[in-house]
Amino acid sequence: IVLQYYLESENYEKAKAYLGDMKKHQYTESFVVKDTGNDLVNAIVSDTFSRSGKAIEFETEGLLPERFALSEYDACTLFSNLFSNAREACERLVDTKPVVRMEVQERNEGCYIVIQNPIEWKVEMKNARFVTSKRDKEAHGFGTKNIIKVVRQYHGKIEFIVTDSTFRVEIILPKLI
């Protein structure tokens, strides 16, 4: 609300100062992000993984387009939920190296995106939906729904692939570039 007010009143210096104050009050370890090809996604990756109390490795193959047909809000919703879920899964690991891998391929003006992380547990499903592993089940479990909503809004396809040791999300977003 404060940022919106400063921006609407064109008080950009106060907006920048307020953002700086917000950043100072967040406890984060430094996390050097490998370039994803997109500044917005780089910022999301950096912020998401710097919040972890565990050293999580981030690998990327291929680059996202710098400019998407997705709105910034939808890109933020999509990638922040994907990476937050992967980070939370990595934080639960006991015996496996925590690594989040992103793969990107451009296909016919669209994008094929894979996010994969290790797991050491059985993923629960109920009525073809994932069951949150968090204690407060009523207040959680919306991330995956938001991911699906964004993908469908852009006429994309999404598939969740779970094995004994990995959780993989495959997304195809047509006419994204």
Side-chain angles (χ1 to χ4, degrees):
I1 294 170
V2 172
L3 282 174
Q4 183 176 2
Y5 172 78
Y6 286 147
L7 293 173
E8 286 174 355
S9 61
E10 297 181 11
N11 196 335
Y12 304 119
E13 289 306 313
K14 280 195 173 184
K16 283 170 48 177
Y18 188 82
L19 280 172
D21 284 345
M22 285 176 62
K23 192 69 175 163
K24 284 182 207 170
H25 287 86
Q26 288 182 330
Y27 171 76
T28 56
E29 294 290 325
S30 63
F31 180 84
V32 179
V33 66
K34 294 181 182 152
D35 187 22
T36 65
N38 182 282
D39 289 338
L40 176 84
V41 177
N42 288 346
I44 293 166
V45 169
S46 179
D47 182 66
T48 300
F49 292 106
S50 66
R51 292 174 187 246
S52 180
K54 190 177 231 180
I56 300 171
E57 190 174 321
F58 178 73
E59 298 175 350
T60 183
E61 182 179 322
L63 295 174
L64 289 164
E66 179 57 38
R67 296 186 55 103
F68 291 104
L70 277 131
S71 74
E72 286 190 348
Y73 180 84
D74 290 334
C76 187
T77 298
L78 178 68
F79 288 102
S80 63
N81 281 294
L82 286 166
F83 292 129
S84 290
N85 290 348
R87 182 199 74 222
E88 289 170 10
C90 284
E91 289 172 341
R92 290 180 59 191
L93 296 171
V94 175
D95 298 320
T96 308
K97 181 179 178 182
V99 178
V100 175
R101 179 165 172 70
M102 180 175 83
E103 177 186 335
V104 179
Q105 296 175 15
E106 288 185 32
R107 294 184 178 173
N108 301 328
E109 297 179 350
C111 223
Y112 171 72
I113 302 164
V114 175
I115 308 292
Q116 180 174 304
N117 58 269
I119 55 173
E120 298 174 339
W121 53 87
K122 182 174 173 32
V123 174
E124 270 189 83
M125 294 196 74
K126 183 177 182 180
N127 299 326
R129 294 181 187 248
F130 294 106
V131 177
T132 184
S133 58
K134 296 175 185 159
R135 288 183 185 196
D136 185 1
K137 305 234 185 271
E138 296 298 318
H140 294 285
F142 300 105
T144 305
K145 291 176 189 171
N146 287 330
I147 292 166
I148 293 167
K149 180 181 174 189
V150 170
V151 171
R152 288 185 178 159
Q153 180 180 330
Y154 288 87
H155 309 288
K157 294 183 180 177
I158 185 166
E159 188 173 359
F160 298 94
I161 301 163
V162 181
T163 68
D164 290 340
S165 61
T166 60
F167 189 93
R168 181 177 172 98
V169 182
E170 295 184 3
I171 298 171
I172 298 174
L173 291 169
K175 299 188 185 194
L176 183 65
I177 302 167

